[in-house]
């Protein structure tokens, strides 16, 4: 077997060796070498290694032009490139100037602008985030600036209402009113957040925008306190209660929003950058409010009317920035509504949508319009207050010990009097996320089949007690076909969802959707 000798410098760097081995004389005595003698030669450093773009590495005397290596280093807002000048390795500014000393004055403004942008981006933006994060931060800037300015103006109005700055003001009474309204607000915040804790995960965008609207309204109430100083405690307490509720919802949903942008498990960095953004943007709002006060300081009538003039404008800008920012929050967690969108899209178009596509279709849904289509799907238990179709009883009687869910027809009231039918997915104790996904896929398949023949199903199958054997058989065949379809495609759909970044290990359900049944034969 031949041994191949590998020299990593053989094809690129031909360096002159510092010393060579002379001819070796081995005295032989009785056929055995006695001494190995070396005669080192004088090291001559007259040659050096240089590189030419066309010839490669070359040994030759004289200086050569610096060679830019294909390696760029980004550090502290500066972009530099490694350069070999024949003797040493240096870092040169990517624009051509030395990163440490030289500066191109002819191109100085453009260089300064690029370095400043990189420094600001490094200060505000985390290293590894999704592509929509920068757009989200831009809308957050709009939201925080005008929200902060409104809070400053509202605080000034409340100070005027309690008489701060006037000789007739009573410091003890003002302090007592302030403490009472803060205490009531914090207590209400605890009660509210405890009562709707599960909604923070299942309806995050809706809760966050709804509380943002309430926050803007609370500032409007605070602005009314100078007009009704005798009702200061009442108005201030109402406003502070709403503000504390909004703050509780904001803090509860912040981690989920930050997690949606963190693509490298850098949740701590994203959260830290979010705090930096909030502080800086709020300070800009403070500067804006101070500037408006400076313009109106010599006119008391203008100063009194300023809050009512700027409030509708600033509140609209605040809510617009919040709404647009939430549109760029693409949550990867699965809820019933998101999973239903994904599975319906798979049945109708044959592919799994990305979190961005689902986010666009999901929207904020402020008016809770989801589930208002014909034959909506619900997760939970049967509503005994409405009429229970006979086919639901048939589905319950066919449940066996191996099933972790069953699907039946659902009857509920839409509005006050209208009785509407839908599809109900009932989950058993111990059902996993996979069971929920497969069960909902089966329910979506059943709905697609029913919607294609809506008139027949609504007129013949859901008319109370009159259920013929033919109708019952048709329903059983539909359930069996849909179950077979769900079991054949469920695992593949879950794999596709996981590859697109969906968190398929858990499905977040609301309080009513978490109701489970137990099989009587369960130990």
């Amino acid at each position: 077997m031949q041994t191949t000798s590998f020299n990593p410098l053989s094809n690129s760097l031909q360096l002159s060796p510092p010393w060579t081995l002379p001819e070796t004389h081995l005295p032989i005595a009785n056929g055995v070498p006695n001494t190995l003698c070396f005669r080192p030669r004088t090291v001559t450093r007259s040659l050096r290694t240089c590189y030419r773009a066309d010839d490669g590495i070359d040994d030759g005397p004289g200086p050569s032009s610096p060679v830019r290596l294909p390696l760029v280093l980004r550090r502290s807002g500066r972009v530099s490139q490694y350069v070999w000048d024949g003797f040493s390795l240096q870092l040169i500014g990517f624009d051509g100037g030395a990163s440490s000393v030289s500066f191109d004055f002819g191109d100085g403004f453009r260089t300064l602008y690029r370095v400043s942008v990189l420094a600001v981006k490094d200060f505000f933006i985390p290293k590894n985030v999704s592509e929509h994060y920068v757009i989200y931060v831009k809308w957050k800037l709009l939201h925080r600036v005008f929200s902060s300015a409104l809070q400053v103006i509202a605080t000034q109005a409340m100070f005027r209402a309690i008489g701060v700055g006037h000789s007739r003001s009573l410091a003890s009474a003002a302090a007592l009113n302030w403490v009472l309204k803060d205490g009531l607000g914090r207590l209400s915040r605890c009660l509210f957040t405890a009562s709707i804790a599960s909604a923070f995960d299942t309806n995050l965008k809706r809760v966050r925008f709804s509380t943002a609207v309430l926050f803007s309204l609370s500032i409007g109430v605070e602005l009314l306190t100078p007009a009704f100083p005798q009702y200061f405690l009442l108005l201030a307490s109402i406003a502070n209660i709403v503000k504390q509720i909004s703050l509780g919802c904001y803090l509860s949903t912040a981690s989920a929003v930050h997690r949606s942008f963190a693509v490298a498990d850098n949740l701590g960095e994203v959260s830290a950058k979010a705090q930096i953004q909030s502080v800086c943007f709020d300070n800009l709002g403070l500067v804006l409010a101070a500037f408006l006060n400076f313009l109106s300081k010599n006119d008391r009538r203008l100063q009194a009317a300023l809050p009512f003039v700027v409030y509708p404008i600033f509140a609209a800008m605040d809510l617009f920035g919040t709404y647009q920012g939430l549109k760029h929050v693409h949550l990867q967690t699965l809820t019933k509504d998101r999973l239903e969108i994904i599975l319906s899209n798979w049945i109708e178009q044959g592919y799994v949508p990305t979190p961005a596509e689902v986010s666009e279709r999901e929207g904020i849904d402020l008016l809770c319009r989801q589930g208002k289509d014909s034959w909506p799907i619900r997760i939970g238990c049967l509503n005994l207050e409405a009429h229970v179709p006979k086919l639901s009883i048939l589905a319950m009687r066919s449940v066996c010990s191996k099933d972790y869910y069953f699907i039946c027809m659902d009857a509920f009231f839409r509005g006050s009097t209208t009785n509407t039918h839908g599809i109900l997915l009932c989950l058993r104790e111990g059902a996993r996320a996979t069971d929920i996904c497969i069960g909902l896929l089966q329910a979506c398949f059943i709905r697609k089949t029913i919607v294609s023949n809506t008139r027949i199903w609504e007129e013949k199958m859901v008319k109370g007690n009159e259920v013929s054997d033919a109708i019952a058989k048709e329903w059983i065949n539909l359930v069996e076909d849909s179950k077979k379809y769900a079991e054949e495609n469920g695992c593949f759909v879950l794999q596709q969802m996981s590859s697109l970044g969906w968190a398929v290990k858990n499905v977040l359900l609301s309080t009513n959707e978490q109701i489970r049944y137990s099989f009587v034969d369960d130990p």
Side-chain angles (χ1 to χ4, degrees):
M1 179 182 296
Q2 295 181 349
T3 302
T4 303
S5 176
F6 174 73
N7 183 5
L9 301 177
S10 59
N11 296 327
S12 58
L13 299 176
Q14 301 296 332
L15 302 177
S16 177
W19 51 270
T20 57
L21 290 175
E23 196 176 26
T24 305
H25 300 278
L26 299 177
I28 304 298
N30 299 325
V32 180
N34 295 329
T35 308
L36 182 62
C37 300
F38 294 97
R39 296 180 181 176
R41 294 174 57 188
T42 303
V43 178
T44 303
R45 305 184 62 88
S46 60
L47 299 178
R48 62 180 178 84
T49 303
C50 60
Y51 178 82
R52 297 187 180 90
D54 52 348
D55 298 331
I57 297 297
D58 180 53
D59 291 336
S64 62
S65 60
V67 176
R68 291 180 178 269
L69 302 179
L71 300 174
V72 176
L73 181 65
R74 291 175 173 85
R75 182 175 56 187
S76 302
R78 304 174 66 91
V79 181
S80 306
Q81 188 174 13
Y82 286 105
V83 175
W84 170 254
D85 63 355
F87 296 99
S88 62
L89 190 65
Q90 298 180 359
L91 273 177
I92 305 297
F94 196 67
D95 58 345
S99 61
S100 58
V101 179
S102 63
F103 184 78
D104 188 358
F105 290 97
D107 200 25
F109 179 76
R110 186 177 64 181
T111 302
L112 180 62
Y113 173 77
R114 181 166 60 250
V115 171
S116 301
V117 170
L118 290 174
V120 172
K121 184 177 180 181
D122 184 65
F123 184 75
F124 284 105
I125 307 300
K127 291 295 187 297
N128 297 305
V129 288
S130 62
E131 57 183 353
H132 305 279
Y133 185 76
V134 176
I135 304 177
Y136 168 78
V137 172
K138 292 179 181 178
W139 290 115
K140 181 181 179 180
L141 169 64
L142 181 68
H143 150 61
R144 298 292 301 196
V145 167
F146 287 99
S147 177
S148 177
L150 275 179
Q151 293 182 63
V152 173
I153 296 174
T155 303
Q156 292 176 339
M158 295 176 68
F159 283 158
R160 290 196 300 269
I162 61 178
V164 174
H166 300 279
S167 58
R168 60 183 175 84
S169 64
L170 298 177
S172 59
L176 178 61
N177 288 338
W178 206 273
V179 170
L180 284 176
K181 64 102 176 172
D182 283 349
L184 292 174
R186 292 172 182 175
L187 178 61
S188 301
R189 169 184 166 184
C190 294
L191 296 177
F192 178 80
T193 53
S195 61
I196 66 165
S198 62
F200 294 143
D201 294 317
T202 55
N203 300 295
L204 185 146
K205 294 184 180 181
R206 183 193 310 165
V207 170
R208 190 153 185 171
F209 186 75
S210 300
T211 53
V213 174
L214 294 177
F215 185 85
S216 297
L217 294 177
S218 68
I219 293 181
V221 174
E222 289 180 344
L223 294 176
L224 293 175
T225 53
F228 305 97
Q230 65 274 22
Y231 300 113
F232 172 81
L233 181 59
L234 176 62
L235 295 177
S237 298
I238 294 175
N240 196 259
I241 288 172
V242 178
K243 289 177 69 174
Q244 289 293 329
I245 290 174
S246 302
L247 178 61
C249 294
Y250 179 84
L251 295 177
S252 300
T253 56
S255 59
V257 173
H258 298 159
R259 190 182 298 110
S260 68
F261 292 113
V263 297
D265 294 332
N266 56 335
L267 180 59
E269 181 190 13
V270 175
S271 301
K273 295 292 185 180
Q275 295 183 38
I276 296 174
Q277 297 162 9
S278 298
V279 171
C280 295
F281 299 163
D282 289 349
N283 286 336
L284 291 177
L286 178 62
V287 172
L288 176 61
F291 177 72
L292 293 176
N293 286 325
F294 176 78
L295 294 179
S296 60
K297 66 177 183 177
N298 296 325
D299 191 341
R300 298 186 64 86
R301 295 182 59 184
L302 178 60
Q303 192 174 18
L306 179 64
F308 303 99
V309 174
V310 302
Y311 171 72
I313 301 175
F314 283 17
M317 298 299 290
D318 175 22
L319 294 178
F320 182 71
T322 303
Y323 182 85
Q324 293 294 331
L326 289 175
K327 288 176 61 176
H328 294 88
V329 176
H330 306 320
L331 302 171
Q332 294 89 19
T333 54
L334 291 177
T335 63
K336 181 262 177 184
D337 293 333
R338 293 188 201 118
L339 186 58
E340 184 178 345
I341 294 174
I342 295 172
L343 299 179
S344 298
N345 192 88
W346 168 263
I347 294 174
E348 295 174 0
Q349 302 186 24
Y351 76 94
V352 174
T354 63
E357 295 174 333
V358 174
S359 178
E360 184 177 356
R361 293 181 57 182
E362 180 185 29
I364 295 179
D365 193 26
L366 183 60
L367 301 178
C368 304
R369 293 180 178 179
Q370 287 186 358
K372 301 300 182 181
D373 300 331
S374 59
W375 289 90
I377 300 175
R378 185 170 65 89
I379 298 179
C381 61
L382 283 168
N383 183 14
L384 300 181
E385 297 179 359
H387 176 74
V388 180
K390 277 294 189 64
L391 293 178
S392 299
I393 306 299
L394 181 63
M396 297 174 68
R397 294 182 62 182
S398 62
V399 175
C400 63
S401 59
K402 297 181 180 179
D403 297 328
Y404 278 91
Y405 68 89
F406 71 89
I407 296 176
C408 62
M409 285 195 175
D410 186 25
F412 57 93
F413 291 102
R414 174 175 291 178
S416 58
T417 57
T418 306
N419 192 357
T420 308
H421 292 87
I423 301 173
L424 175 64
L425 173 62
C426 296
L427 301 175
R428 177 180 167 184
E429 291 287 347
R432 301 168 299 175
T434 304
D435 301 320
I436 299 175
C437 294
I438 294 178
L440 195 57
L441 178 60
Q442 181 181 352
C444 292
F445 185 87
I446 293 175
R447 179 175 61 183
K448 182 178 182 297
T449 304
I450 293 178
V451 169
S452 61
N453 299 282
T454 303
R455 185 182 59 83
I456 298 176
W457 285 88
E458 288 186 349
E459 291 182 358
K460 296 183 179 181
M461 296 191 61
V462 290
K463 287 188 176 182
N465 297 325
E466 298 180 1
V467 178
S468 63
D469 294 339
I471 295 177
K473 185 177 181 180
E474 187 173 355
W475 167 257
I476 293 174
N477 291 335
L478 176 59
V479 171
E480 291 179 351
D481 293 341
S482 61
K483 186 174 183 179
K484 182 179 179 181
Y485 173 85
E487 292 177 348
E488 290 178 352
N489 294 272
C491 294
F492 181 74
V493 173
L494 288 174
Q495 292 176 0
Q496 294 293 315
M497 292 169 59
S498 179
S499 63
L500 292 175
W502 290 104
V504 298
K505 293 184 179 180
N506 190 28
V507 180
L508 303 175
L509 302 177
S510 64
T511 302
N512 293 330
E513 294 170 348
Q514 294 176 7
I515 300 176
R516 307 292 177 93
Y517 73 89
S518 297
F519 195 72
V520 291
D521 290 343
D522 288 346

